Amino acid sequence: MLARIKQFLGMEAKPEEVASKQEVEKVAEEEKTRPRIGYIHLSGCTGDVMSLTENYDILAELLTDMVEIVYGQTLADVWEMPEMDLALVEGSVCLQDEHSIHELMEVREKAGLVVAFGSCAATGCFTRYSRGGQQAQPSHESFVPIADLIKVDCAIPGCPPSPEIIAKTVVAVINGDMDYLQPMMDLVGYTEACGCDLQKKVVNQSLCIGCGTCAMACQTRAITMTNGRPEVNCDRCVKCGICYIQCPRSWWPAERINKDLGL
Amino acid sequence: MVLGTYKEVVTARSTDKQIQKIAQDGGIVSALFCYALDEKIIDGAVVAGPGEDFWKPEPKVAMSSDEILAAAGTKYTFSPNVWMLKQAVRQYGLEKVGTVAIPCQTMGIRKMQSYPFGVRFLADKIALLTGIFCMENFPYESLKTFISEKAGVSPELVEKMDIGKGKFFIHTADDVIALPLKETHGYEQNGCKVCLDYVAELADVSTGSVGSPDGWSTVLTRTGTGETIFKAAVDAGVIETKPVNEGKFGLEMLTKLATQKKEKAMKVIDEKKAMGLPIPYKASSEKEDPLANI
């Protein structure tokens, strides 16, 4: 089954039958130790967990055979937060909402790995624009990425993260594939994201090659390419960080790409 | 391995007389896309189509052979083809997309496939990635300088441009102007100076002019997909091949130029790193093969 999922995700260019068979057996043996996953919903829109469910072809198997969902609004009818191997935290955290802060602190205590799930949790994203003054809580004005308050182990940015990256991450966690997860661990520090990072960290550093990957990746179509350089419409940018994260000149996972392509 | 990992390298050209006439070299990209479209291997391709200004390309989604052929020929300035991939899948509804990309663009596409953070349902729709060799690229204003100022011709009169034998050639209907390459120095895109890929090492099939005679292209098949499609096109008689010249004007030349590009870039990378500037690549001292694209 793991082999099937990997094939679905295009994670193996040339699946070797023997190896796959062994892997399937290995997973079958380890089935009892499926990772316990929790989902925590802070100031987010539920779009990230909706994206998880868009792994149509593999979702049923993923949820029933590969992981155990032990906690989470919209996913499980559990009121007490249990111990978890992995907690997916969606949404940023409102500093004026003591319940959110309390829940976040509790997650850090109960979960082995805390994942900033989606750009709101990872970079603040759209909630960076919050400034209070609205009913029924005019004082709820300050929203920060979760890494501002607790130690985060891994970030999966995206507004929302693609269904594929969520599935790939879960598979990597199950496999203990730390090489694949390394960029996501590095991205934990990238909390002050903005479209202008393209200008500051790529164009200003004489790294831009005008490939257009940033404009392709932008989830709000805030980026166009003008004379081979990204032009960011700040009024459309939601500060999710995806443009800079997908840029081939921000970080370069060469070894993984060669492996994925079978080169 | 300065030419990247590949299964086979050959000299090839399109057998189509019309493609031969309009192609930059052997017409491999045009022939492959037209064939893949006919065979429904792809249902469209993102190409560097003609834009509003002369010799300023614009990424286009081509869904017919005519549209593919309209994009034939090298334009020595930016065409952000990767940008158009999302439109190809979303607006045009393509399920199997072909695209032509220079090395840095293949890097953007492959990174997106391995780590599709915000890129939903796109990674699996790239059906054929054809890479073209690339030594460097130029901003449009640089290109205008070469044509209007240095060669002294109007852009609309230019029929073809190509770089080879140490010169930048500008062809008009009745003239060929050759600028020594040193005249183009200082006009290159800066981002190209740290590029460690000459022959599109991550494409399914890479092709370019160096290593083959005029009117022919050097072709490297790399992935299983690339090998299968290229072989099928050859079997179908769409592309003819001959063994690549191993010698001085063939593979040796290709290897030499690839090595030169990588050595030059590696030096710039090391210098920038020493200055503390951000570079996504490893320093030469940090890697086993100092010329590897990592």
Side-chain angles (χ1 to χ4, degrees), chain A residues 98-109:
Chain A
E98 57 176 303
H99 302 289
S100 291
I101 295 176
H102 174 79
E103 203 176 356
L104 187 61
M105 296 302 165
E106 197 180 352
V107 174
R108 184 62 277 182
E109 270 174 38

PDB file of all heavy atoms in Angstrom, chain A residues 98-109:
ATOM      1  N   GLU A  98      -7.082  33.937  25.294  1.00  0.00           N
ATOM      2  CA  GLU A  98      -6.334  33.076  26.212  1.00  0.00           C
ATOM      3  C   GLU A  98      -6.556  31.592  25.937  1.00  0.00           C
ATOM      4  O   GLU A  98      -5.687  30.773  26.164  1.00  0.00           O
ATOM      5  CB  GLU A  98      -6.697  33.405  27.668  1.00  0.00           C
ATOM      6  CG  GLU A  98      -8.176  33.283  27.954  1.00  0.00           C
ATOM      7  CD  GLU A  98      -8.498  33.516  29.424  1.00  0.00           C
ATOM      8  OE1 GLU A  98      -7.940  32.811  30.253  1.00  0.00           O
ATOM      9  OE2 GLU A  98      -9.321  34.417  29.711  1.00  0.00           O
ATOM     10  N   HIS A  99      -7.750  31.251  25.417  1.00  0.00           N
ATOM     11  CA  HIS A  99      -8.036  29.844  25.142  1.00  0.00           C
ATOM     12  C   HIS A  99      -7.113  29.306  24.039  1.00  0.00           C
ATOM     13  O   HIS A  99      -6.603  28.197  24.121  1.00  0.00           O
ATOM     14  CB  HIS A  99      -9.502  29.665  24.736  1.00  0.00           C
ATOM     15  CG  HIS A  99     -10.453  30.147  25.786  1.00  0.00           C
ATOM     16  ND1 HIS A  99     -10.620  29.484  26.977  1.00  0.00           N
ATOM     17  CD2 HIS A  99     -11.251  31.241  25.830  1.00  0.00           C
ATOM     18  CE1 HIS A  99     -11.505  30.150  27.717  1.00  0.00           C
ATOM     19  NE2 HIS A  99     -11.889  31.220  27.049  1.00  0.00           N
ATOM     20  N   SER A 100      -6.904  30.108  23.007  1.00  0.00           N
ATOM     21  CA  SER A 100      -6.013  29.699  21.914  1.00  0.00           C
ATOM     22  C   SER A 100      -4.598  29.504  22.425  1.00  0.00           C
ATOM     23  O   SER A 100      -3.931  28.522  22.083  1.00  0.00           O
ATOM     24  CB  SER A 100      -5.995  30.757  20.802  1.00  0.00           C
ATOM     25  OG  SER A 100      -7.234  30.794  20.146  1.00  0.00           O
ATOM     26  N   ILE A 101      -4.146  30.438  23.223  1.00  0.00           N
ATOM     27  CA  ILE A 101      -2.779  30.347  23.751  1.00  0.00           C
ATOM     28  C   ILE A 101      -2.647  29.108  24.624  1.00  0.00           C
ATOM     29  O   ILE A 101      -1.691  28.336  24.495  1.00  0.00           O
ATOM     30  CB  ILE A 101      -2.406  31.628  24.530  1.00  0.00           C
ATOM     31  CG1 ILE A 101      -2.367  32.818  23.553  1.00  0.00           C
ATOM     32  CG2 ILE A 101      -1.063  31.459  25.228  1.00  0.00           C
ATOM     33  CD1 ILE A 101      -2.096  34.153  24.216  1.00  0.00           C
ATOM     34  N   HIS A 102      -3.661  28.895  25.441  1.00  0.00           N
ATOM     35  CA  HIS A 102      -3.651  27.736  26.318  1.00  0.00           C
ATOM     36  C   HIS A 102      -3.608  26.434  25.510  1.00  0.00           C
ATOM     37  O   HIS A 102      -2.834  25.518  25.791  1.00  0.00           O
ATOM     38  CB  HIS A 102      -4.893  27.754  27.220  1.00  0.00           C
ATOM     39  CG  HIS A 102      -5.039  26.527  28.055  1.00  0.00           C
ATOM     40  ND1 HIS A 102      -4.317  26.335  29.211  1.00  0.00           N
ATOM     41  CD2 HIS A 102      -5.788  25.406  27.883  1.00  0.00           C
ATOM     42  CE1 HIS A 102      -4.630  25.147  29.710  1.00  0.00           C
ATOM     43  NE2 HIS A 102      -5.521  24.564  28.933  1.00  0.00           N
ATOM     44  N   GLU A 103      -4.413  26.381  24.453  1.00  0.00           N
ATOM     45  CA  GLU A 103      -4.472  25.185  23.610  1.00  0.00           C
ATOM     46  C   GLU A 103      -3.121  24.928  22.938  1.00  0.00           C
ATOM     47  O   GLU A 103      -2.640  23.800  22.869  1.00  0.00           O
ATOM     48  CB  GLU A 103      -5.570  25.348  22.555  1.00  0.00           C
ATOM     49  CG  GLU A 103      -6.081  24.007  22.024  1.00  0.00           C
ATOM     50  CD  GLU A 103      -7.232  24.160  21.042  1.00  0.00           C
ATOM     51  OE1 GLU A 103      -7.694  25.297  20.822  1.00  0.00           O
ATOM     52  OE2 GLU A 103      -7.646  23.128  20.482  1.00  0.00           O
ATOM     53  N   LEU A 104      -2.506  26.004  22.480  1.00  0.00           N
ATOM     54  CA  LEU A 104      -1.205  25.865  21.818  1.00  0.00           C
ATOM     55  C   LEU A 104      -0.151  25.333  22.792  1.00  0.00           C
ATOM     56  O   LEU A 104       0.655  24.466  22.453  1.00  0.00           O
ATOM     57  CB  LEU A 104      -0.782  27.219  21.236  1.00  0.00           C
ATOM     58  CG  LEU A 104       0.478  27.216  20.369  1.00  0.00           C
ATOM     59  CD1 LEU A 104       0.293  26.317  19.148  1.00  0.00           C
ATOM     60  CD2 LEU A 104       0.842  28.622  19.926  1.00  0.00           C
ATOM     61  N   MET A 105      -0.163  25.862  24.001  1.00  0.00           N
ATOM     62  CA  MET A 105       0.804  25.400  25.006  1.00  0.00           C
ATOM     63  C   MET A 105       0.576  23.920  25.320  1.00  0.00           C
ATOM     64  O   MET A 105       1.523  23.152  25.482  1.00  0.00           O
ATOM     65  CB  MET A 105       0.654  26.217  26.299  1.00  0.00           C
ATOM     66  CG  MET A 105       0.972  27.693  26.141  1.00  0.00           C
ATOM     67  SD  MET A 105       2.650  27.954  25.536  1.00  0.00           S
ATOM     68  CE  MET A 105       2.582  29.657  25.023  1.00  0.00           C
ATOM     69  N   GLU A 106      -0.698  23.544  25.361  1.00  0.00           N
ATOM     70  CA  GLU A 106      -1.050  22.156  25.661  1.00  0.00           C
ATOM     71  C   GLU A 106      -0.564  21.224  24.536  1.00  0.00           C
ATOM     72  O   GLU A 106      -0.048  20.131  24.794  1.00  0.00           O
ATOM     73  CB  GLU A 106      -2.571  22.029  25.843  1.00  0.00           C
ATOM     74  CG  GLU A 106      -2.962  20.750  26.544  1.00  0.00           C
ATOM     75  CD  GLU A 106      -4.481  20.612  26.719  1.00  0.00           C
ATOM     76  OE1 GLU A 106      -5.217  21.567  26.427  1.00  0.00           O
ATOM     77  OE2 GLU A 106      -4.906  19.524  27.143  1.00  0.00           O
ATOM     78  N   VAL A 107      -0.699  21.699  23.297  1.00  0.00           N
ATOM     79  CA  VAL A 107      -0.227  20.900  22.157  1.00  0.00           C
ATOM     80  C   VAL A 107       1.264  20.637  22.291  1.00  0.00           C
ATOM     81  O   VAL A 107       1.737  19.507  22.106  1.00  0.00           O
ATOM     82  CB  VAL A 107      -0.482  21.636  20.814  1.00  0.00           C
ATOM     83  CG1 VAL A 107       0.142  20.858  19.666  1.00  0.00           C
ATOM     84  CG2 VAL A 107      -1.954  21.826  20.572  1.00  0.00           C
ATOM     85  N   ARG A 108       1.980  21.678  22.646  1.00  0.00           N
ATOM     86  CA  ARG A 108       3.433  21.519  22.748  1.00  0.00           C
ATOM     87  C   ARG A 108       3.797  20.458  23.790  1.00  0.00           C
ATOM     88  O   ARG A 108       4.752  19.699  23.621  1.00  0.00           O
ATOM     89  CB  ARG A 108       4.067  22.867  23.065  1.00  0.00           C
ATOM     90  CG  ARG A 108       5.574  22.912  23.125  1.00  0.00           C
ATOM     91  CD  ARG A 108       6.278  22.562  21.808  1.00  0.00           C
ATOM     92  NE  ARG A 108       6.438  21.141  21.563  1.00  0.00           N
ATOM     93  CZ  ARG A 108       7.046  20.618  20.501  1.00  0.00           C
ATOM     94  NH1 ARG A 108       7.552  21.414  19.571  1.00  0.00           N
ATOM     95  NH2 ARG A 108       7.146  19.320  20.337  1.00  0.00           N
ATOM     96  N   GLU A 109       2.997  20.412  24.849  1.00  0.00           N
ATOM     97  CA  GLU A 109       3.260  19.413  25.899  1.00  0.00           C
ATOM     98  C   GLU A 109       2.880  18.010  25.469  1.00  0.00           C
ATOM     99  O   GLU A 109       3.575  17.047  25.770  1.00  0.00           O
ATOM    100  CB  GLU A 109       2.429  19.756  27.143  1.00  0.00           C
ATOM    101  CG  GLU A 109       3.123  20.669  28.116  1.00  0.00           C
ATOM    102  CD  GLU A 109       2.178  21.075  29.234  1.00  0.00           C
ATOM    103  OE1 GLU A 109       1.374  20.224  29.680  1.00  0.00           O
ATOM    104  OE2 GLU A 109       2.226  22.261  29.628  1.00  0.00           O
TER     105      GLU A 109
END
